[in-house]
Amino acid sequence: MSKDKNPRRVAENEAMAKTRMLRTSPQKLNLVAAMIRGKKVETALSDLTFSKKRIAEDVKKCLQSAIANAENNHNLDVDELVVAEAYVGKNLTMKRGRPRARGRFGKIIKPFSELTIKVRQVEEQA
């Protein structure tokens, strides 16, 4: 007797990748995620490659992981993939400080984020 197989968390024509502990604020990461939402995968990859944002390299890694999951685990066609969702969440926040004038303490907050990218196979209309 074995346990039942876990149901899929995404639809049959979707694949997902998640990156945790990205060292940037969710607000800055969301600017890059918004840049690729709804675009074809090839366009999104080229946009991330030539972006000037530092975090774009990590977003590109996550997108490539989602594409690889779609191809290898779910047998989806890479040429028909579209970035269906790209959303950002908060993660932990490191609290640091620095001594300031007159005995005060300057608070330094170092936020972390997490990124989830879902790609969906969409048949092209002829």
Side-chain angles (χ1 to χ4, degrees):
M1 296 207 350
S2 63
K3 288 198 278 185
D4 291 337
K5 186 176 163 185
N6 281 338
R8 284 196 58 187
R9 292 188 177 102
V10 290
E12 290 298 319
N13 63 340
E14 286 183 345
M16 179 177 108
K18 191 167 200 172
T19 304
R20 293 185 173 95
M21 298 296 287
L22 288 170
R23 179 61 189 88
T24 187
S25 71
Q27 188 176 8
K28 290 177 185 175
L29 182 59
N30 194 38
L31 290 173
V32 180
M35 196 169 66
I36 63 170
R37 271 186 211 122
K39 291 188 177 179
K40 288 188 66 66
V41 164
E42 305 89 46
T43 313
L45 281 173
S46 64
D47 285 354
L48 290 171
T49 302
F50 297 109
S51 174
K52 290 183 177 179
K53 302 276 188 185
R54 174 190 64 85
I55 203 66
E57 195 172 317
D58 292 325
V59 175
K60 183 180 173 186
K61 259 190 210 178
C62 185
L63 178 58
Q64 286 172 332
S65 176
I67 294 166
N69 289 341
E71 185 178 16
N72 298 320
N73 301 346
H74 308 302
N75 300 320
L76 301 178
D77 186 17
V78 178
D79 298 326
E80 296 179 352
L81 289 180
V82 171
V83 179
E85 296 176 27
Y87 53 90
V88 176
K90 282 186 190 178
N91 209 313
L92 72 92
T93 304
M94 287 196 305
K95 281 115 180 154
R96 299 291 182 262
R98 176 178 181 161
R100 305 299 293 179
R102 300 167 70 185
R104 294 200 174 108
F105 184 74
K107 195 160 42 167
I108 297 173
I109 294 172
K110 300 187 174 192
F112 283 77
S113 311
E114 53 185 53
L115 172 70
T116 307
I117 295 180
K118 287 184 184 177
V119 291
R120 182 179 297 140
Q121 182 175 343
V122 178
E123 286 76 22
E124 296 176 9
Q125 288 81 21

